[in-house]
Amino acid sequence: MSDISLLQLLLANLALLAGSCLQGVAGYGIGTLSAPLLFLISPAFLPGVALINAVLLNILMLVRNHQSLSFRQVRYAIGGNIVGTALAALTLTVLSAQGFDLAFGVLILLAVGMSVLGVKPRLNDRNSILAGGASGYMGTITAVGGPPIALIYQNETGPLVRANLSAFFLFASLASVVALAPAGYIGLTELKLFLATCPGVFAGFWLSGHLVNRLPFASLRPIILSIAAIAGIAAVVRGLIAH
């Protein structure tokens, strides 16, 4: 943690607060909003620190929304996620630091593109498997696994979305942590950074409980996507310059 300043820790907590609050309201957001901001603050927060914080948030979310859970729909997405996570872990074993920056940037921009295009696949078994696989791959590398799985839930009701996505993201983030640890992406440093940044998650989750029926998520969407796009472009430029 010696390379991370107090200001960076404060900014990281604020980024996680914003993303956790958004996820508490909309069902996803800690990846789409917080991960790009964390990358801009310091790449040291990704992917490990962001993913461990995602585990914490999704436990809190699932406890709050468990009564609306429909596990049958979630299990197919989890099956796809296992495959996507395994492929991502293999990818990370061969990526250099510059390669990671490029992969992060490209996948972030892909996620933004999927959201902007407004693709509306149906919520069915096949699409759940495909979305789960894409989410697992993107989430393990970038900590942004929300857009693929969120696409198939965009026409569902709020309580179902929050419950099902919490269950899926809890499994997905845990699977990513398990896959990343042997690859050296999660160690003592990441655990220390997690302890220093998890207050932001608790604060954001608490705040979302007061805003869940008030926050206009649709109006925030362009801002969220713009932040993600800026981080994606910055990552690609960083990777190209370093290369």
Side-chain angles (χ1 to χ4, degrees):
M1 287 180 57
S2 58
D3 295 332
I4 302 295
S5 68
L6 185 59
L7 176 60
Q8 286 174 310
L9 286 176
L10 176 61
L11 292 174
N13 272 276
L14 290 174
L16 287 165
L17 186 156
S20 298
C21 183
L22 179 64
Q23 182 149 327
V25 172
Y28 76 103
I30 191 171
T32 309
L33 179 59
S34 297
L37 289 173
L38 290 173
F39 179 85
L40 294 175
I41 296 166
S42 172
F45 291 114
L46 292 166
V49 179
L51 283 168
I52 304 173
N53 273 299
V55 170
L56 171 62
L57 175 61
N58 285 302
I59 291 173
L60 297 173
M61 287 281 295
L62 191 56
V63 170
R64 177 193 282 173
N65 299 288
H66 70 278
Q67 292 182 334
S68 300
L69 178 65
S70 176
F71 186 73
R72 181 185 178 280
Q73 295 172 330
V74 176
R75 65 183 181 182
Y76 290 102
I78 287 177
N81 178 266
I82 293 172
V83 177
T85 299
L87 290 174
L90 290 175
T91 301
L92 285 171
T93 60
V94 298
L95 282 181
S96 62
Q98 294 76 23
F100 174 80
D101 287 343
L102 286 171
F104 178 91
V106 169
L107 290 174
I108 289 289
L109 293 175
L110 176 62
V112 172
M114 292 169 64
S115 299
V116 170
L117 289 174
V119 182
K120 295 185 177 180
R122 292 177 55 197
L123 177 58
N124 56 36
D125 297 347
R126 184 198 66 182
N127 288 340
S128 291
I129 293 171
L130 293 174
S135 181
Y137 188 83
M138 296 173 65
T140 301
I141 293 177
T142 68
V144 184
I149 199 72
L151 285 175
I152 65 173
Y153 278 94
Q154 58 188 301
N155 295 320
E156 305 302 316
T157 59
L160 174 68
V161 171
R162 287 188 287 270
N164 278 22
L165 291 188
S166 295
F168 172 77
F169 286 137
L170 176 57
F171 176 88
S173 50
L174 279 171
S176 296
V177 167
V178 171
L180 288 174
Y185 282 85
I186 294 179
L188 185 59
T189 298
E190 285 72 27
L191 291 176
K192 289 180 179 178
L193 286 173
F194 160 68
L195 292 176
T197 55
C198 67
V201 172
F202 283 112
F205 176 75
W206 174 82
L207 184 60
S208 72
H210 298 274
L211 298 176
V212 67
N213 296 316
R214 302 177 186 178
L215 194 65
F217 176 68
S219 64
L220 294 176
R221 188 168 172 268
I223 299 174
I224 297 166
L225 294 178
S226 298
I227 292 171
I230 291 170
I233 294 170
V236 170
V237 171
R238 174 189 167 105
L240 291 173
I241 291 176
H243 182 72

